[in-house]
Amino acid sequence: MSTDDAGPRADVASGAEPDHENALQDVVAVDADDEPEGVVNRLEAHTGHGVRHRAFTCLVFDADGRILLGQRAPGKRLWGTYWDGTVASHPVEGQSQEAATRERLDEELGITPDQYDDLRVTDRFEYKRYFENAGLEWEVCSVLKVTLEDDAIDPDEDEIAGLLWADYEHLHEHPEWYRQLRLCPWFEIAMRRDFE
């Protein structure tokens, strides 16, 4: 999902050049109930048959109920230039979903905890989706939501290519009107589940 630093692997730290920056990071492997089963290299978790791992997506809203969609930077290995709602990533071992989300909101969008006070986990689901010939996501994904009291944003262009405020209910009810946005699969699942 994002390119946050989840800790270097020992074999890479020894001087070997990684094939991709994700090879420098680990994610938390989990079972279907989101119970940890150790750590796995992030690149390995997203290639071949994949390894099920823990992830999150955070949906950011304003006071009018609009959702902030974030377009993933073109340099992302998976789903580059697709639209997400709003940030998504992986907690590191021992890190809560809330702490990981606060970190990503700050790093990707410059949104700090003093801009909201209602960060909460609202859902969790497992999904597996392949992206072209580049890899896959096989995740137990927690959905977190937050409403901004102050919507000042300072996006990191290495992470976010574009931003768009959209009426959340309208987006769900009329997906054909937004088809050109190419939404990330985990966001589409989270949104569908919200309105079931």
Side-chain angles (χ1 to χ4, degrees):
M1 293 173 147
S2 73
T3 57
D4 58 318
D5 183 9
R9 291 187 52 201
D11 56 347
V12 176
S14 67
E17 282 296 316
D19 292 333
H20 190 274
E21 64 183 297
N22 287 357
L24 295 171
Q25 305 160 11
D26 290 327
V27 295
V28 179
V30 294
D31 66 14
D33 295 318
D34 200 30
E35 293 297 322
E37 295 186 329
V39 296
V40 63
N41 178 262
R42 182 172 165 179
L43 190 58
E44 186 179 323
H46 291 90
T47 54
H49 296 293
V51 177
R52 180 173 41 217
H53 57 280
R54 183 173 288 163
F56 67 86
T57 186
C58 180
L59 311 184
V60 173
F61 295 89
D62 68 7
D64 296 322
R66 296 181 307 162
I67 188 168
L68 179 61
L69 301 179
Q71 185 181 32
R72 292 165 60 81
K76 299 278 190 181
R77 202 176 73 76
L78 301 177
W79 282 278
T81 72
Y82 278 61
W83 288 82
D84 198 355
T86 302
V87 298
S89 193
H90 312 88
V92 297
E93 187 176 28
Q95 185 180 39
S96 71
Q97 296 285 26
E98 293 86 352
T101 299
R102 283 190 292 272
E103 186 175 282
R104 293 314 297 164
L105 287 172
D106 189 9
E107 292 173 356
E108 292 192 20
L109 294 168
I111 296 174
T112 57
D114 62 339
Q115 293 176 255
Y116 57 86
D117 65 3
D118 63 341
L119 180 65
R120 66 223 180 261
V121 176
T122 61
D123 195 10
R124 185 178 69 204
F125 57 86
E126 179 179 344
Y127 76 101
K128 188 174 189 179
R129 295 289 188 280
Y130 289 84
F131 180 73
E132 300 174 351
N133 292 322
L136 74 157
E137 297 285 4
W138 183 11
E139 299 177 330
V140 175
C141 183
S142 290
V143 179
L144 294 93
K145 293 182 180 177
V146 65
T147 303
L148 296 183
E149 297 168 2
D150 170 4
D151 62 6
I153 297 169
D154 181 22
D156 177 351
E157 292 180 7
D158 290 335
E159 298 286 345
I160 304 288
L163 294 169
L164 174 68
W165 286 103
D167 181 280
Y168 192 43
E169 190 170 327
H170 191 263
L171 175 63
H172 174 261
E173 290 178 355
H174 302 284
E176 69 279 9
W177 297 0
Y178 297 88
R179 198 169 286 136
Q180 73 278 8
L181 293 182
R182 298 186 314 158
L183 302 176
C184 293
W186 55 89
F187 170 59
E188 288 189 290
I189 295 167
M191 179 171 56
R192 184 188 72 237
R193 289 169 61 93
D194 252 354
F195 288 94
E196 283 179 348

